[in-house]
Amino acid sequence: MSQTIKIKRRAYSMVYDDILLDERLSWRTRVVLSWMLGRSPDFEIRIWYIRKLFSLSNQQWNSARKEMKAAGYFHQERTHTEAGKIAWAHFVTDTPEPPSSGNHTPENHTMV
């Protein structure tokens, strides 16, 4: 007989106050960013899932993404697949960084 205990609880997110108070972001973007940051670092978030979960149109998602990018919470890197095709890796962070054109290895980032 197994002696393991499984704990069941509702999912929740802990978010720094400065993210919730960042006036550069709309309320919609703050909620989406807070939810994304609440996922574990190894959790891969699909953009279609974010749009479905928050009932965002493509235009609304693009607007939120642009706000996060301008504030330094979101960035994307162009990569190549093994087949040589272009692919995009998206990252979100709780420590905003100024947008840069160079490639760098993100720390404290969640893959989107």
Side-chain angles (χ1 to χ4, degrees):
M1 181 175 171
S2 175
Q3 297 293 323
T4 45
I5 298 172
K6 293 189 178 191
I7 300 172
K8 295 184 178 183
R9 65 176 189 194
R10 295 182 305 162
Y12 70 95
S13 300
M14 283 186 14
V15 181
Y16 292 107
D17 287 346
D18 59 330
I19 292 172
L20 296 174
L21 300 173
D22 192 337
E23 293 181 353
R24 298 173 297 173
L25 305 175
S26 66
W27 280 106
R28 174 184 291 133
T29 301
R30 293 179 212 185
V31 169
V32 171
L33 176 61
S34 297
W35 181 85
M36 289 192 300
L37 291 172
R39 305 308 98 202
S40 67
D42 59 338
F43 188 85
E44 286 193 19
I45 305 168
R46 304 288 183 204
I47 293 172
W48 67 265
Y49 182 71
I50 295 169
R51 289 186 52 213
K52 178 182 173 187
L53 187 66
F54 292 101
S55 300
L56 299 175
S57 68
N58 193 46
Q59 182 179 1
Q60 290 170 321
W61 163 251
N62 286 333
S63 176
R65 179 184 53 80
K66 287 176 185 174
E67 286 180 35
M68 289 185 284
K69 190 173 182 180
Y73 293 105
F74 183 93
H75 79 273
Q76 52 193 12
E77 295 177 3
R78 190 171 84 172
T79 61
H80 290 87
T81 65
E82 290 181 13
K85 294 185 177 185
I86 294 175
W88 289 94
H90 307 277
F91 299 93
V92 67
T93 181
D94 61 359
T95 50
E97 303 166 357
S100 68
S101 58
N103 290 340
H104 64 282
T105 304
E107 296 178 24
N108 296 327
H109 289 65
T110 299
M111 180 82 161
V112 178

